[in-house]
Amino acid sequence: LLDSLLQELVLLNPLRMSTKKGLLERLAEGPIIGDGGFIFCLEKRGYVKAGPWTPEATVEHPEAVRQLHKEFLRAGSDVMQAFTFYASEDKLTDRGNKAGKNIGVAAINREAAKLAKEVAAEGNALTLGSLSQCPSYLEGLGKEKVKSEFRKQVNVFVKEKLDFLQCEYFEHIEEIEWAIQTCKESGLPVGATMCIGPEGDIHGVPAGECAVRMARAGADMVGVNCHFDPFVSLVTMRKMKEGLDSAGVKAYLQMQPIAYHTPDAGRQGFIDLPEFPFALESRICTRWDMHRYAREAFELGVRYIGGCCGFEPYHIRAVAEELAAYRKGKKPAASEKHDMWGGGLQMHTKPWVRARANREYWENLKPASGRPYCPSLHKPDEWAPGQMEK
C-alpha cells in the first residue's frame, strides 16, 4: 500500500520526489560553474569545420561531443550545455552549408540535447539548450521570421526536457530581445549573454542599457560571452551591473568569455584580430589567469561563471578550484590529479622545478611567447557594421 501511495505521489508531482535543484535555486545558493568552448575544441580535434562553425558533429561524431562533455563535467562544470551553437535552420543552410538539408535542424538539436542529458546524469548537472544569432536577422527578414527560426530549436529543447535555455552570442540587442521572448514562451528559466565589449553592441547601444533590456525582456541571467578575454569582459560586466543597479532591475550576472587575451581588440573582439581563427595559440590564457578571472568575477557579483572559445577543461578546473571556498569546499574530480598552485611539482626530480611549487611563483610569472620577432599586440581590422553584414 505504501509503495502504491508513493508511486501516486510521483505521478501527481514528480518534482516533489526529485533531488535535482534547478538553475534559480542553485544560483541563490552560490556560484554555478559553466562549461567551456566546444566549437574551438572540436575544430582543433577535427570534428567541426571552421567557417560555418555549425554543430552537426552531434549526429556525425557523437562520441567526440560526449567525451568533451565528460571532460568538462570531470573538470567541475555544473551545467552540460547542449552543443547547439549556430544550429538554427537558416544557419545550417547558409552560404552553401549542407548540414541543414542532409541532417536537419531537428536531428542536430535533438541529438545535442540527448548527449548533454546523458552526461549530466552522471554528475547531477543541469542541462541547457542555446540559441545564437541567425542569418535571418542580418538579412532583415523581420521579427516573426527570426522568432520562427528560434522556435524550431526551442521546441526540441522543451520536448527533450532540458533544464533551462540560453540566448548567447548576439551582437544586436534587438535580436537577443526577440530570442529571450521566444525562450520565455517555454516557461523555463532563461540566460542571456551578448558577445560585446565595453563599447556596447555593434551599433553602439551601451553595455549597461543592453543588460537592462535583456532583463526586461525576461532573462533571469544577463551578461557576456565570447569575443573578449576574461579581463576585458569584466570591464563590460561592471558596466552591465551599473546599468542594472541604476535602473533598479534585478537579474543574476553571467560570464562566459574566451580564453585568449584581447587587450588590443576593437568592437568586434577577437574575430577582428589578424590571428583569428588559426593563430590564436600565443594569446591563450593560463590556468592561473583563470584563477584570477574566477575570483574577480565572483567579487563583482557574477554567479554563473564559465567560458567560451578556447576554454579547455583545465581552465574550468582552475575556475572550480578558485571558487571551492564559496561552494562548501567542493573541488572537481579532475583535482585528484592537480594539487593547488602547482603543489605536485614538489615531487619533480629537478630542484629548480620543485622551487616553483607555490602560489607566489605562478601568480607573478609573466609568460614569454618564445617568438622574438613577433609583436605583443596587433591592430584589429575594424570593419564597419555595414561591411560586416554583406
Side-chain angles (χ1 to χ4, degrees):
L1 179 63
L2 182 59
D3 287 343
S4 298
L5 288 171
L6 286 171
Q7 288 176 2
E8 200 170 319
L9 280 172
V10 171
L11 289 172
L12 288 171
N13 187 0
L15 291 178
R16 184 178 300 180
M17 306 301 292
S18 173
T19 59
K20 184 176 178 179
K21 295 179 180 179
L23 173 70
L24 300 180
E25 193 175 2
R26 296 189 191 199
L27 284 168
E29 293 180 350
I32 289 178
I33 298 171
D35 63 3
F38 272 62
I39 282 287
F40 269 45
C41 284
L42 291 173
E43 190 279 330
K44 287 181 170 66
R45 298 175 188 185
Y47 300 106
V48 165
K49 185 175 183 177
W53 306 107
T54 47
E56 56 270 21
T58 61
V59 175
E60 295 175 341
H61 300 285
E63 73 288 349
V65 179
R66 181 185 295 109
Q67 179 60 30
L68 191 51
H69 276 308
K70 286 176 175 286
E71 290 178 25
F72 280 120
L73 182 70
R74 178 174 167 79
S77 296
D78 297 313
V79 180
M80 295 293 100
Q81 179 168 336
F83 185 34
T84 58
F85 176 78
Y86 268 173
S88 61
E89 187 169 45
D90 56 353
K91 181 62 178 176
L92 294 171
T93 56
D94 190 44
R95 299 182 184 273
N97 193 339
K98 293 181 171 55
K101 180 180 178 181
N102 294 344
I103 303 174
V105 60
I108 290 171
N109 284 275
R110 182 180 63 250
E111 295 309 306
K114 289 181 182 297
L115 289 165
K117 289 192 299 180
E118 175 190 330
V119 178
E122 298 176 10
N124 195 35
L126 295 173
T127 58
L128 76 88
S130 69
L131 307 179
S132 44
Q133 60 185 344
C134 67
S136 293
Y137 182 81
L138 292 181
E139 292 167 11
L141 299 184
K143 183 176 184 179
E144 291 312 310
K145 169 60 176 171
V146 172
K147 282 190 165 186
S148 72
E149 291 294 329
F150 293 148
R151 285 193 189 97
K152 293 172 189 175
Q153 293 182 263
V154 171
N155 289 341
V156 175
F157 303 151
V158 172
K159 186 176 181 180
E160 292 297 326
K161 296 182 171 58
L162 298 185
D163 295 310
F164 69 100
L165 305 180
Q166 180 73 35
C167 307
E168 66 171 4
Y169 199 76
F170 286 85
E171 299 171 293
H172 307 265
I173 182 58
E174 181 182 58
E175 186 182 10
I176 198 170
E177 287 176 315
W178 297 352
I180 294 166
Q181 292 162 8
T182 306
C183 287
K184 292 299 288 185
E185 295 169 3
S186 71
L188 295 171
V190 178
T193 51
M194 300 185 72
C195 51
I196 62 174
E199 296 178 51
D201 88 345
I202 206 69
H203 293 294
V205 178
E209 182 180 336
C210 287
V212 170
R213 288 175 61 173
M214 287 190 285
R216 286 179 173 163
D220 300 290
M221 298 188 297
V222 301
V224 295
N225 83 295
C226 208
H227 278 201
F228 294 90
D229 70 40
F231 309 108
V232 174
S233 295
L234 280 164
V235 176
T236 310
M237 288 303 301
R238 290 187 187 95
K239 291 177 178 289
M240 286 192 164
K241 186 176 187 296
E242 290 167 1
L244 291 167
D245 291 344
S246 296
V249 176
K250 300 293 184 182
Y252 287 104
L253 300 180
Q254 177 181 17
M255 281 186 73
Q256 294 191 269
I258 62 172
Y260 304 103
H261 288 285
T262 60
D264 45 345
R267 187 185 295 274
Q268 280 281 283
F270 79 145
I271 66 171
D272 212 14
L273 293 172
E275 296 93 343
F276 178 86
F278 299 129
L280 289 162
E281 284 77 8
S282 64
R283 293 175 174 266
I284 197 75
C285 294
T286 69
R287 64 192 70 194
W288 317 116
D289 291 324
M290 297 313 180
H291 274 269
R292 177 187 159 202
Y293 152 56
R295 182 169 61 252
E296 293 185 11
F298 182 81
E299 290 172 352
L300 181 62
V302 181
R303 289 299 176 264
Y304 190 110
I305 303 172
C308 198
C309 299
F311 261 76
E312 295 277 351
Y314 75 93
H315 289 124
I316 293 298
R317 180 179 61 188
V319 170
E321 289 179 344
E322 181 62 36
L323 297 178
Y326 308 103
R327 291 161 49 85
K328 300 178 181 179
K330 179 184 176 183
K331 289 183 182 178
S335 291
E336 296 171 3
K337 297 294 184 180
H338 184 256
D339 293 339
M340 289 284 284
W341 299 104
L345 296 180
Q346 292 174 350
M347 301 170 67
H348 201 278
T349 57
K350 307 298 184 184
W352 60 89
V353 177
R354 292 199 295 272
R356 299 170 187 167
N358 62 84
R359 178 172 181 165
E360 183 181 9
Y361 177 86
W362 294 111
E363 277 199 322
N364 291 295
L365 180 69
K366 304 297 182 187
S369 70
R371 298 173 180 269
Y373 301 109
C374 292
S376 58
L377 302 175
H378 253 141
K379 184 180 185 303
D381 289 338
E382 296 182 332
W383 280 36
Q387 293 174 293
M388 290 184 293
E389 294 168 12
K390 290 181 180 178

